[in-house]
Amino acid sequence: MNKLIAVLKHNLLMLIGGVLGAAGGYLYWLKIGCSSGTCPITSSPVASAVWGAVMGGLVLSMFQKEKGKEGKQ
């Protein structure tokens, strides 16, 4: 249980980005979407939410600091 909490704390920004990105992807599908069904990402709410979660997690993980790498160049 302690290891799970440590992993969650270490990846908190990525998890927050994933949740926000999934919500954003779903809202994008809901408001804009693809009416013809030929768009591979925005034609499905699941695909749009997954794509948003991946992008949100990647963007916010850029701001995560690594321990032990502050002084190295």
Side-chain angles (χ1 to χ4, degrees):
M1 188 69 169
N2 290 335
K3 286 186 179 186
L4 177 65
I5 293 172
V7 168
L8 288 176
K9 283 184 180 180
H10 185 266
N11 296 316
L12 185 63
L13 277 178
M14 186 171 51
L15 293 172
I16 291 171
V19 169
L20 291 176
Y26 179 77
L27 287 175
Y28 184 84
W29 170 82
L30 189 64
K31 299 293 181 184
I32 299 169
C34 181
S35 60
S36 66
T38 59
C39 311
I41 295 172
T42 59
S43 64
S44 162
V46 174
S48 193
V50 168
W51 182 257
V54 169
M55 291 296 116
L58 286 174
V59 168
L60 281 188
S61 70
M62 290 188 321
F63 300 106
Q64 186 171 343
K65 293 183 179 178
E66 298 267 342
K67 288 186 179 179
K69 290 191 176 184
E70 287 88 22
K72 296 180 182 178
Q73 288 185 0

